[in-house]
Amino acid sequence: MYNLGCAVWELTLACNMSCKHCGSSAGKARKNELKTIECYNLCENLAEANCDMVSLMGGEPFLHKDWHSIAWCIKDLGMKLAFVSNGLLIPQIIDKIERLEPSVIGISLDGIKETHDSIRREGSFESALEAIDLLNDRSIQTTVITTISKTNFKELPKIKEILSERKVNWQIQVAAPFGNFNPELAIDKEEYYASAMFIVAENVKNKFSDLPVIGAHCYGYHSHILPKGKLWNGCTAGISSVGITSDGSIVGCLSMGNDRYFEGNIREQSFVDIWENPNSFSYNRNFELKDLGEKCENCYYGENCKGGCNSMSIHFTGKLHNTPFCLRKIEEELLDVKPQKKRK
């Protein structure tokens, strides 16, 4: 059976921003979001499935009227708690957050003031920094999340300057063309590779001591040149992670953003039954080499890489197991590095 490391739960689709790269097109709550009693039952099911951590996001999770009691339910059932937030409401609820002792809180920061505010809303840059500083003051581990596109790609060094004196982790991820995002603003392969080099250079420089910089699952895949770090062992959707929508649908990853990948709804069957169903998440659990797309089918690492991040694969190529954003492939195409022969 598969060990569930993290459930990413879209607590509500309601949001106090309307970000230009939002894959969920968040703003208004879904018409039929889970009632609080259903949320409690879901928490019990997640605990029964031995889920290690539950990460509450949105929309904006702190707009849910019962976010606090649901968060305590998660904690009381012995699971770790995390949040992903835009930071706007944190000053009003910082005492409640501190008492919950979350493992980590993710705060979005997408550029210098003018850029961040243009992507999210006026005044949101200062709100994000205030939230980061408040969390720091309360010794709550914080990860700043930056979603890059052509709009803010060149600002990574400036964002680093903003964060360098703050005790935070920094996660960089790629904006994918779905939801609110304009596909014309998606970064190209050269920009992707440059951002990967930035991540590697910063990690080598600071050795994870002052500003740990990491790439999300949209980064990596067996580079010929860059330091290996952790080898990629395939998309985790339905293997060690799962996504939950605010109306109770279960999907391998919320970033996949497509209804055809829903495995069921907790209003129709329990989460445990969905998770333990041998036919669930078949695209990952029953993966075979023949499932690789044309961009990955001849790769030496195809068997364990499984074509990289499936969210990137779907949104950029329309297929699973077929990401075009692969460091190894980019090096072979752009830097004339000879490909390694496919395993027999």
Side-chain angles (χ1 to χ4, degrees):
M1 191 47 62
Y2 297 91
N3 296 320
L4 180 54
C6 183
V8 182
W9 183 354
E10 174 198 88
L11 196 56
T12 178
L13 204 56
C15 193
N16 44 17
M17 296 188 187
S18 182
C19 303
K20 292 179 180 178
H21 58 241
C22 180
S24 302
S25 300
K28 295 182 179 180
R30 296 180 192 271
K31 292 182 179 179
N32 194 24
E33 295 193 334
L34 296 176
K35 296 178 173 62
T36 301
I37 187 63
E38 292 177 304
C39 291
Y40 294 155
N41 291 337
L42 175 56
C43 290
E44 291 176 352
N45 253 228
L46 289 169
E48 186 180 346
N50 295 314
C51 180
D52 182 53
M53 175 181 285
V54 181
S55 180
L56 299 179
M57 61 173 292
E60 173 56 39
F62 298 125
L63 284 175
H64 190 288
K65 66 182 181 66
D66 290 322
W67 73 266
H68 189 234
S69 59
I70 294 167
W72 270 116
C73 185
I74 292 166
K75 292 280 291 188
D76 289 343
L77 288 165
M79 294 177 285
K80 297 173 186 172
L81 174 68
F83 295 97
V84 178
S85 171
N86 58 39
L88 196 62
L89 297 175
I90 282 181
Q92 304 169 33
I93 56 175
I94 188 63
D95 291 337
K96 289 182 176 180
I97 292 173
E98 184 179 20
R99 284 191 286 271
L100 279 163
E101 297 182 336
S103 296
V104 64
I105 295 186
I107 301 292
S108 300
L109 187 73
D110 294 314
I112 61 174
K113 184 178 187 299
E114 294 77 9
T115 305
H116 180 91
D117 284 359
S118 71
I119 292 172
R120 292 180 173 270
R121 57 175 275 184
E122 187 175 352
S124 60
F125 176 83
E126 296 297 341
S127 295
L129 291 188
E130 181 183 6
I132 292 166
D133 291 340
L134 274 172
L135 294 168
N136 262 327
D137 289 344
R138 305 296 179 102
S139 298
I140 298 170
Q141 183 176 344
T142 307
T143 295
V144 169
I145 302 170
T146 299
T147 304
I148 62 169
S149 65
K150 289 186 181 296
T151 303
N152 61 357
F153 161 73
K154 293 182 179 180
E155 294 185 4
L156 290 176
K158 293 182 179 179
I159 299 172
K160 178 199 165 187
E161 290 178 10
I162 294 168
L163 299 179
S164 61
E165 296 182 359
R166 292 176 163 89
K167 296 178 181 179
V168 296
N169 308 309
W170 186 17
Q171 176 178 300
I172 298 171
Q173 59 192 32
V174 177
F178 70 110
N180 291 348
F181 187 59
N182 179 355
E184 294 181 0
L185 295 177
I187 61 173
D188 57 32
K189 292 179 182 179
E190 290 89 343
E191 291 164 332
Y192 175 84
Y193 195 78
S195 62
M197 292 181 71
F198 175 85
I199 292 168
V200 170
E202 290 306 315
N203 273 336
V204 169
K205 183 178 179 180
N206 65 53
K207 297 180 181 178
F208 298 93
S209 62
D210 56 351
L211 180 63
V213 184
I214 62 171
H217 283 174
C218 48
Y219 277 96
Y221 323 135
H222 308 285
S223 166
H224 289 275
I225 298 170
L226 298 175
K228 290 183 180 179
K230 251 187 180 177
L231 290 178
W232 171 259
N233 291 312
C235 174
T236 64
I239 304 294
S240 61
S241 63
V242 74
I244 306 168
T245 67
S246 60
D247 58 0
S249 290
I250 305 302
V251 65
C253 172
L254 289 171
S255 295
M256 289 169 69
N258 196 315
D259 291 3
R260 62 185 163 161
Y261 297 110
F262 286 159
E263 306 294 338
N265 190 287
I266 65 163
R267 284 172 166 153
E268 298 166 0
Q269 57 186 138
S270 74
F271 175 82
V272 172
D273 287 343
I274 297 172
W275 180 255
E276 294 184 352
N277 186 333
N279 296 316
S280 292
F281 316 102
S282 60
Y283 54 88
N284 259 0
R285 293 182 176 180
N286 301 323
F287 170 81
E288 298 178 9
L289 277 175
K290 65 179 179 60
D291 298 326
L292 290 171
E294 69 278 1
K295 295 184 181 299
C296 303
E297 60 187 354
N298 293 315
C299 181
Y300 179 85
Y301 289 101
E303 187 172 2
N304 77 304
C305 181
K306 301 178 183 177
C309 170
N310 274 320
S311 174
M312 297 287 280
S313 295
I314 293 164
H315 299 305
F316 282 96
T317 72
K319 300 177 181 179
L320 294 167
H321 312 295
N322 194 47
T323 183
F325 290 94
C326 166
L327 296 182
R328 191 172 194 81
K329 181 68 72 173
I330 292 171
E331 288 164 353
E332 291 169 3
E333 293 175 353
L334 301 181
L335 304 179
D336 199 28
V337 178
K338 292 183 179 180
Q340 196 161 355
K341 292 182 179 179
K342 183 181 177 183
R343 288 178 179 175
K344 293 182 180 180

